[in-house]
Amino acid sequence: DSGVTQTPKHLITATGQRVTLRCSPRSGDLSVYWYQQSLDQGLQFLIQYYNGEERAKGNILERFSAQQFPDLHSELNLSSLELGDSALYFCASSPHGETREPQHFGDGTRLSIL
Amino acid sequence: GENVEQHPSTLSVQEGDSAVIKCTYSDSASNYFPWYKQELGKGPQLIIDIRSNVGEKKDQRIAVTLNKTAKHFSLHITETQPEDSAVYFCAAWSASKIIFGSGTRLSIRP
């Protein structure tokens, strides 16, 4: 058990809809990362937050947004969903968000767009 | 853009034999290289990492080597066991972002 909690485990919705994925980092970790894993794109870094502030941005679409709250949990919001957004979404956390710091992953949210 | 290439994409070895997975990276400024193991239905789990000031690191049956000049690093698993069957990802940090390889599906034959 990595200590990172993601909810829900599965989400099924339709094109055009909006969903929110939630992540609770390991106790004591201040930084949260979001990743998308699909069959054709592999693991893609989306965005990183550190202590409530955005720290780094990857291949995140404009239809997606995230935030980290004062209690350090984070939410990833996906809107105007398309079939291609079907994927596994992972959250990871690390203590200080430094580049040479190990990240610990949750077990992901499987998003299916019908 | 920066990328990480990982080979092979699939690997099947006899139980007890060794497995080697290789990765190359493009950003010469990369200085941290973690390896992750992902089992079915689970998130990636960090199994070993290496920093750019070290050439080799070992943890029981797992070892990682780094050649900064050639910009490649490898994962070595010795005395493979059935529980080693999983997908393995290499990664490299580049300009405050982590880039993952495409993964290697390792199967251990009994």
Side-chain angles (χ1 to χ4, degrees):
Chain A
D1 181 12
S2 68
V4 178
T5 304
Q6 289 189 247
T7 57
K9 292 190 184 307
H10 303 278
L11 203 46
I12 302 174
T13 189
T15 55
Q17 296 298 305
R18 172 189 169 95
V19 297
T20 297
L21 314 183
R22 183 188 167 99
C23 168
S24 294
R26 287 191 323 165
S27 177
D29 285 358
L30 299 178
S31 193
V32 168
Y33 308 76
W34 286 98
Y35 295 88
Q36 179 191 59
Q37 186 177 40
S38 58
L39 284 175
D40 58 344
Q41 295 283 332
L43 259 169
Q44 298 279 319
F45 166 67
L46 296 178
I47 197 164
Q48 177 198 1
Y49 279 81
Y50 172 74
N51 207 20
E53 299 290 327
E54 182 184 308
R55 176 166 277 192
K57 222 170 192 176
N59 303 321
I60 188 166
L61 300 173
E62 285 191 11
R63 300 183 285 109
F64 296 0
S65 64
Q67 56 185 130
Q68 186 179 27
F69 295 86
D71 67 352
L72 301 177
H73 91 271
S74 178
E75 293 181 356
L76 179 66
N77 301 295
L78 315 177
S79 62
S80 303
L81 287 168
E82 303 175 358
L83 292 176
D85 297 327
S86 293
L88 274 166
Y89 291 84
F90 288 104
C91 167
S93 73
S94 71
H96 305 294
E98 301 297 329
T99 58
R100 301 208 299 177
E101 208 169 60
Q103 295 179 26
H104 298 271
F105 283 74
D107 286 337
T109 293
R110 181 175 295 278
L111 176 64
S112 300
I113 313 299
L114 303 180
Chain B
E2 307 301 343
N3 73 307
V4 175
E5 293 191 2
Q6 183 172 346
H7 299 280
S9 56
T10 60
L11 180 60
S12 178
V13 301
Q14 193 77 34
E15 182 178 349
D17 287 350
S18 296
V20 180
I21 302 170
K22 299 181 179 182
C23 290
T24 59
Y25 59 98
S26 59
D27 184 2
S28 56
S30 293
N31 57 11
Y32 176 59
F33 308 90
W35 284 88
Y36 289 87
K37 175 184 180 182
Q38 187 174 20
E39 296 175 325
L40 196 62
K42 298 287 187 181
Q45 176 193 2
L46 179 70
I47 55 172
I48 196 167
D49 58 9
I50 191 167
R51 290 170 172 76
S52 58
N53 57 346
V54 175
E56 183 173 0
K57 183 176 177 180
K58 191 172 182 180
D59 182 3
Q60 299 182 18
R61 297 186 297 108
I62 295 173
V64 58
T65 59
L66 171 65
N67 183 326
K68 284 188 64 181
T69 303
K71 292 192 284 187
H72 68 71
F73 56 113
S74 301
L75 178 72
H76 305 252
I77 306 174
T78 59
E79 301 173 9
T80 53
Q81 300 170 3
E83 54 265 35
D84 295 329
S85 293
V87 179
Y88 292 80
F89 292 94
C90 64
W93 273 94
S94 173
S96 78
K97 295 186 296 185
I98 188 169
I99 301 173
F100 286 86
S102 53
T104 295
R105 183 173 299 279
L106 176 62
S107 301
I108 308 301
R109 303 191 303 271

